[in-house]
Amino acid sequence: MPVVVENRAGAATAVANTAVAQARPDGYTLLMGTSTLAINPALQPSLTPKEPLRDLSPIGMVFRTAFVLHIHPDMPARNTAELIAWCKANPGKLNFGSSGTGAVNHLAQALFAQAAGIEVTHVPYKGGAPALLDLRAGRIQAMFQAVLEALPSLRDGATRGLGISSAERAALLPELPPVAEALPGFDVVFWQGLFAPAATPAPVLARLGAALAAATSDPDLRAKMAEHGVVITTGDAAALHHTLSTETAMWGKLIRDAGIRPD
């Protein structure tokens, strides 16, 4: 069966999310949903769907990708614990970049600061590329960045990696320990999962779930995606529901506690 990929950009993925939530629940219109489904309800509550767990039916997780915590080499820290200690001795002096307010790497930074009990200065950019340029130049000193995006700077010594944001090490950077070794429980990734409109019949969801599980179990696909720092995750609807539910609560609390507002 042919598959048509329709990119509906805009409103922090809300355009695409809403289009699928409002589509006929026949199994022919699906959403490759992302971590923003867990972020938008608290960050931008005017966007739809306001309750993704009510308006969308999870099918299964597709992949996870972690972030590298890397810094400008002029910084004295050699590991995450040393960076935290430096920040405690120099409150507010660390300029911590992100690809934009409310992006997952910004929320990783906010959660990092909250968990470590430190004060940093958030510097949002319109995308990861300009932030990386300023990190390389020393205009900002730290950033959480997707593994594949950070790799060239790490390899040429323009930045120094301190840790990985996921609870497990990254295959492309096995030498970097998880940030969780300094901050127990820290586990932040960007994820994508497959969703259908709410009210899609259970037999249809089951067939879609089985097809997704077969696709994500393919060793060639898993190997190819691993080359890009992406971990294919074979998980059923219940696992995706749990991830979305847990992260909606986690990011909602952080956004409220930190007073994060969209640009």
Side-chain angles (χ1 to χ4, degrees):
M1 179 181 294
V3 175
V4 177
V5 178
E6 185 175 352
N7 293 313
R8 294 206 180 186
T13 72
V15 172
N17 300 342
T18 301
V20 174
Q22 295 177 348
R24 291 180 59 186
D26 55 12
Y28 289 99
T29 302
L30 305 176
L31 172 70
M32 189 66 81
T34 74
S35 300
T36 57
L37 286 168
I39 296 168
N40 284 346
L43 184 69
Q44 302 186 75
S46 63
L47 298 180
T48 57
K50 296 182 179 182
E51 297 183 47
L53 283 170
R54 181 195 66 190
D55 297 329
L56 295 167
S57 295
I59 296 171
M61 187 69 78
V62 178
F63 74 75
R64 293 161 42 103
T65 184
F67 300 96
V68 176
L69 172 58
H70 61 150
I71 61 174
H72 189 269
D74 283 351
M75 288 291 295
R78 295 286 166 175
N79 54 54
T80 301
E82 288 183 7
L83 180 65
I84 292 171
W86 188 93
C87 289
K88 288 183 176 179
N90 300 273
K93 292 185 179 180
L94 184 77
N95 292 318
F96 215 124
S98 79
S99 56
T101 300
V104 182
N105 65 341
H106 168 219
L107 297 185
Q109 169 257 301
L111 185 64
F112 176 81
Q114 183 187 78
I118 58 175
E119 179 185 347
V120 301
T121 299
H122 174 227
V123 184
Y125 289 80
K126 293 185 177 180
L132 179 58
L133 287 175
D134 273 5
L135 179 60
R136 291 174 64 99
R139 286 184 284 270
I140 59 176
Q141 290 77 50
M143 185 178 178
F144 278 103
Q145 191 160 40
V147 170
L148 194 64
E149 294 174 354
L151 267 175
S153 295
L154 295 169
R155 286 175 173 166
D156 67 19
T159 65
R160 179 188 305 131
L162 301 184
I164 201 81
S165 68
S166 56
E168 63 284 339
R169 294 189 182 226
L172 292 181
L173 292 166
E175 72 279 8
L176 289 185
V179 171
E181 290 190 8
L183 295 174
F186 192 91
D187 183 15
V188 177
V189 298
F190 175 82
W191 55 261
Q192 287 196 357
L194 194 63
F195 294 83
T200 299
V204 174
L205 292 175
R207 287 182 61 191
L208 291 168
L212 178 63
T216 54
S217 298
D218 180 78
D220 291 337
L221 175 64
R222 298 175 79 92
K224 179 66 68 174
M225 296 302 286
E227 294 174 4
H228 297 277
V230 173
V231 179
I232 295 292
T233 303
T234 301
D236 61 11
L240 180 55
H241 185 283
H242 175 75
T243 295
L244 180 54
S245 176
T246 300
E247 290 201 2
T248 298
M250 178 180 73
W251 293 138
K253 184 178 187 305
L254 178 70
I255 288 165
R256 290 187 294 272
D257 289 349
I260 297 171
R261 298 288 181 270
D263 293 332

